[in-house]
Amino acid sequence: MGRKALCLGLTCVLFSYYMYRPMPDNIKDEWKIEFIDALVRTVTSVGIFLENIGVMRYEQLSMLLEMDYTGPVSYENITVTDTTFSDIPVRLYLPKRKSERRRRAVIFIHGGGYVIGSYKHTSYDIFNRMAANQLDAVVVGVDYRLAPQYKFPIALEDVFAAVKYFLHDEVLAKYGVDPTRICISGESSGGSIAAVVTQQMQNHPEFKRKIKAQALLYPVLQLIDLWTPSYRENAHGPVLSRDMGIKMICLYITTDKMCIEAIGLNQHMPEESRHLFKFTNWTILLPEKFKKNHVYTEPILGRYGFTYSEFIDPRISPLLVNDSQLQNLPLTYILTCEHDILRDDGLMYATRLRSVGVQVAHDHMENAIHGGLAYLGRMLSLYQATKLRDKYISWLDENI
């Protein structure tokens, strides 16, 4: 009881302190975002404290706040079921209306920094139900094993296995899916996985023609340079701070606590990685309006002597693939948010894809924060979540 009271007291004090943090000018739903931001920072501080004294791990406390889950409840127009594809849990949304032709399909990969999240999350469930209903499409939500228990590349391998299973002709026929009208989509860390799976599928002889489009919502696309203008401008949030992003990245890669210090200083890359910086050089790849007055500083390489191959692995940083590997990618939709540390990742990917001839549609949401989709349909539902959903569904409707 004493331990619980201590935790509650600390939480209340920290929450009260954090509530007064100023928000960016002209941001929508300011009081809601202030509340969410204060809650996230409070939980983060308490989680780190509890981890340091050995009560529980940081991510365990974060997961307790993510338990807003819903079961596979069907309704008038959509049948919802939980099943597995190649032993990977998936949630299927199948329209009930009869169709004279095969339907299009959307594979959705949730975010959560590789550490939290599930297709069972109420907001994602609402999002996927709406997409299935409004598009008259088969929607597949994929769950993957989470860090730190399951480190890179387990999450990617889980999604890749589920997608491959779904793309087999007999499975597509079973669910009435048109094999020429399939989109892979994902948000945040799920956007990274979606981008990598799409790259891998385009090089797979059996499946390379079965992905018509990819939709990436505020995706994380590189670990090379975590001091781009968007990382600098939004280092303290709102909601997703640079420190929190680094913490989750490290949980996905390694148990070495020096990882956090090294990435925090942007000195984590090995000596042999210098040639890769051309793929994330924001001075060239960012539109002028996003460069502002920032001055590029090349990271110090080899400072910590890390030998982690993950830092230079394109399966975790899809921006690192060369131009020839990007040329065959399908129609792409990218959404970025102004107040988001990951904003520049999406902008740079859009630039690189366009430069090699890939058709790209890019929506940039001014005054929006990272992860708005996670608040869709909840008590603290954000205006930007509804706008994001509408942009996403509209683009899918026109392009797949």
Side-chain angles (χ1 to χ4, degrees):
M1 179 64 72
R3 181 178 292 177
K4 292 182 179 178
L6 173 62
C7 292
L8 178 61
L10 284 171
T11 301
C12 292
V13 170
L14 286 168
F15 187 78
S16 298
Y17 171 75
Y18 282 136
M19 273 301 293
Y20 293 98
R21 189 161 197 164
M23 290 291 107
D25 293 337
N26 301 320
I27 200 166
K28 295 282 187 181
D29 296 319
E30 182 176 356
W31 75 266
K32 292 182 181 180
I33 294 176
E34 283 182 352
F35 182 87
I36 294 167
D37 183 63
L39 181 62
V40 169
R41 284 185 285 115
T42 299
V43 169
T44 298
S45 297
V46 172
I48 292 173
F49 171 74
L50 295 178
E51 182 175 76
N52 288 338
I53 65 175
V55 174
M56 65 167 58
R57 296 198 308 271
Y58 159 81
E59 68 278 1
Q60 291 176 312
L61 183 62
S62 298
M63 290 178 68
L64 291 177
L65 296 180
E66 287 289 315
M67 297 305 290
D68 181 19
Y69 290 166
T70 187
V73 180
S74 301
Y75 68 113
E76 183 179 0
N77 298 323
I78 304 292
T79 298
V80 183
T81 58
D82 285 351
T83 184
T84 59
F85 286 172
S86 192
D87 296 325
I88 307 303
V90 300
R91 177 165 288 180
L92 288 171
Y93 301 82
L94 306 173
K96 292 181 179 179
R97 295 186 294 269
K98 290 185 179 180
S99 178
E100 295 182 357
R101 61 176 185 172
R102 289 190 176 190
R103 290 184 165 91
R104 48 195 168 185
V106 180
I107 303 166
F108 179 75
I109 306 163
H110 70 79
Y114 310 102
V115 174
I116 58 177
S118 169
Y119 64 58
K120 300 173 186 176
H121 195 290
T122 299
S123 295
Y124 296 138
D125 183 69
I126 291 172
F127 183 68
N128 286 329
R129 286 169 185 266
M130 288 181 174
N133 189 43
Q134 294 183 34
L135 296 171
D136 189 32
V138 173
V139 175
V140 182
V142 183
D143 259 7
Y144 48 88
R145 287 172 288 179
L146 300 173
Q149 184 176 0
Y150 300 101
K151 296 194 178 336
F152 172 81
I154 297 299
L156 172 63
E157 291 173 345
D158 285 354
V159 174
F160 190 62
V163 172
K164 281 199 303 181
Y165 180 95
F166 181 66
L167 292 181
H168 281 102
D169 289 336
E170 60 271 21
V171 178
L172 296 177
K174 175 181 177 180
Y175 296 114
V177 173
D178 184 340
T180 67
R181 304 178 72 196
I182 299 170
C183 175
I184 295 181
S185 67
E187 58 115 34
S188 192
S189 55
S192 175
I193 294 172
V196 175
V197 169
T198 303
Q199 290 177 357
Q200 292 180 332
M201 286 299 177
Q202 294 306 100
N203 295 318
H204 196 292
E206 185 178 356
F207 302 114
K208 63 181 180 180
R209 293 182 178 86
K210 288 188 177 179
I211 302 300
K212 182 177 182 181
Q214 62 175 336
L216 312 177
L217 310 177
Y218 39 86
V220 50
L221 297 171
Q222 58 90 25
L223 302 185
I224 291 282
D225 184 2
L226 274 71
W227 205 233
T228 61
S230 61
Y231 270 102
R232 301 181 196 193
E233 294 166 14
N234 304 291
H236 301 294
V239 181
L240 179 63
S241 68
R242 184 172 182 267
D243 287 346
M244 185 190 304
I246 290 172
K247 174 76 170 177
M248 289 183 167
I249 287 169
C250 289
L251 287 171
Y252 186 45
I253 293 175
T254 176
T255 56
D256 188 345
K257 292 188 177 181
M258 290 297 289
C259 174
I260 294 177
E261 178 180 335
I263 296 181
L265 294 172
N266 213 33
Q267 297 178 4
H268 56 290
M269 296 303 295
E271 286 283 359
E272 63 271 19
S273 67
R274 187 177 300 277
H275 68 288
L276 297 173
F277 280 84
K278 63 184 178 182
F279 297 131
T280 61
N281 187 341
W282 58 265
T283 65
I284 297 172
L285 297 174
L286 282 187
E288 287 298 323
K289 65 175 290 187
F290 295 102
K291 296 178 186 178
K292 299 183 180 178
N293 296 319
H294 296 290
V295 177
Y296 179 75
T297 303
E298 184 173 282
I300 298 174
L301 305 183
R303 168 69 173 78
Y304 283 79
F306 286 148
T307 57
Y308 300 126
S309 59
E310 291 86 351
F311 289 143
I312 58 175
D313 195 323
R315 293 177 301 164
I316 200 170
S317 296
L319 256 171
L320 299 188
V321 301
N322 58 44
D323 288 352
S324 63
Q325 292 175 281
L326 296 179
Q327 289 174 345
N328 296 321
L329 290 178
L331 181 66
T332 299
Y333 176 77
I334 297 175
L335 183 139
T336 55
C337 299
E338 180 180 2
H339 304 299
D340 181 7
I341 59 174
L342 301 177
R343 180 195 69 206
D344 294 346
D345 285 19
L347 291 169
M348 290 190 290
Y349 203 43
T351 299
R352 289 201 59 207
L353 290 177
R354 286 179 177 138
S355 72
V356 296
V358 176
Q359 187 176 345
V360 178
H362 172 229
D363 276 330
H364 180 67
M365 295 182 63
E366 300 286 346
N367 300 317
I369 65 169
H370 179 86
L373 181 59
Y375 306 101
L376 183 68
R378 304 172 77 178
M379 181 179 66
L380 291 174
S381 182
L382 302 180
Y383 166 80
Q384 73 171 69
T386 302
K387 189 176 179 181
L388 183 161
R389 176 204 65 200
D390 292 344
K391 286 178 176 289
Y392 169 81
I393 291 178
S394 176
W395 185 85
L396 290 176
D397 195 27
E398 294 175 5
N399 290 283
I400 64 168

